[in-house]
Amino acid sequence: EIVMTQSPATLSVSPGERATLSCRASQSVSSNLAWYQQKPGQAPRLLIYGASIRATGIPARFSGSGSGTEFTLTISSLQSEDFAVYYCQQYNNWPRTFGQGTKLEIK
Amino acid sequence: EVQLVQSGAEVKKPGESLKISCEGSGYSFTSYWIAWVRQMPGKGLEWMGIIYPGDSDTRYSPSFQGQVTISADKSISTAYLQWSSLKASDTAMYYCARAGDYSDYWGQGTLVTVSS
């Protein structure tokens, strides 16, 4: 099973600033990596798939990069609605696996 | 509009059985996998398993193999997650999601509480 490790566990950033979240896979997942956003009391929402392709309706301030084992989600200018928990997920191998999440909080 | 609508919250006792559902609409139900994801209170997302309603091909995470059963009834566009004997540690929110690769649509979640 591929283990996904996200860092940091918690990230404190001020509105308007840039946030950079990391995700590492225990073995190569090629570009088969997705990012999700989850707000309290809500289901997760797909942000990025294919490591760098924004899902429908996702603002351009969200961008993904990386391949193989190292991935990054960047939010270029944080808005109030972006403070949430973010998860990465690999879909290169069975079983699919999620990272443990990064909580993005207001500084 | 693609929608996944899950059954309502459940409160059960340890040892009881349970089957929760996820009804898909707005797309070809038999052409997309449906995954189940667990979220224990205050914790992260855990991928449990997945089913392809077209032919009922099912795959489980090793962590959940033998602990739950995933099934689907394509005639009514509904997937299921069931337990034969619940434990207190099964208390969690359970989400279904249209999947296969990444999950682009999610159900609203079903809260399962297991308590004596």
Side-chain angles (χ1 to χ4, degrees):
Chain A
E1 169 173 324
I2 295 177
V3 177
M4 307 300 293
T5 303
Q6 292 184 240
S7 61
T10 303
L11 183 61
S12 299
V13 183
S14 300
E17 293 190 341
R18 174 189 297 257
T20 302
L21 289 68
S22 296
C23 174
R24 172 177 291 178
S26 60
Q27 65 187 75
S28 176
V29 299
S30 187
S31 293
N32 297 314
L33 191 284
W35 289 94
Y36 302 89
Q37 177 194 66
Q38 188 180 33
K39 297 179 180 178
Q42 296 185 17
R45 176 174 72 145
L46 176 68
L47 298 175
I48 301 283
Y49 63 93
S52 62
I53 304 169
R54 278 191 305 278
T56 303
I58 302 303
R61 65 180 182 272
F62 291 91
S63 63
S65 63
S67 66
T69 62
E70 300 284 343
F71 301 89
T72 300
L73 174 69
T74 301
I75 311 170
S76 60
S77 177
L78 280 163
Q79 307 297 303
S80 57
E81 62 266 29
D82 299 335
F83 292 96
V85 180
Y86 292 83
Y87 296 94
C88 61
Q89 181 212 359
Q90 67 80 20
Y91 52 90
N92 195 65
N93 286 42
W94 302 102
R96 310 315 194 200
T97 46
F98 290 97
Q100 80 281 17
T102 290
K103 182 179 181 180
L104 182 57
E105 64 177 27
I106 301 174
K107 187 174 182 179
Chain B
E1 178 194 8
V2 175
Q3 282 193 306
L4 294 171
V5 178
Q6 298 185 230
S7 49
E10 302 275 1
V11 180
K12 292 290 192 178
K13 290 181 168 36
E16 293 186 332
S17 63
L18 177 63
K19 192 173 189 177
I20 63 175
S21 66
C22 169
E23 181 179 2
S25 62
Y27 73 100
S28 174
F29 186 74
T30 54
S31 299
Y32 291 83
W33 295 78
I34 292 284
W36 287 95
V37 175
R38 182 174 79 174
Q39 188 166 40
M40 299 177 76
K43 302 299 184 183
L45 305 174
E46 299 175 272
W47 194 90
M48 302 176 70
I50 198 166
I51 188 165
Y52 189 74
D55 61 5
S56 292
D57 185 8
T58 307
R59 315 205 181 179
Y60 294 91
S61 167
S63 300
F64 294 92
Q65 180 86 47
Q67 307 306 306
V68 297
T69 301
I70 295 171
S71 60
D73 184 341
K74 62 185 179 182
S75 69
I76 55 172
S77 300
T78 300
Y80 301 98
L81 177 65
Q82 69 181 90
W83 295 259
S84 59
S85 180
L86 286 159
K87 301 184 282 288
S89 57
D90 292 317
T91 294
M93 181 71 81
Y94 293 88
Y95 294 101
C96 65
R98 193 176 80 163
D101 294 334
Y102 51 88
S103 295
D104 54 356
Y105 290 92
W106 293 69
Q108 81 278 20
T110 296
L111 180 62
V112 174
T113 303
V114 184
S115 174
S116 54

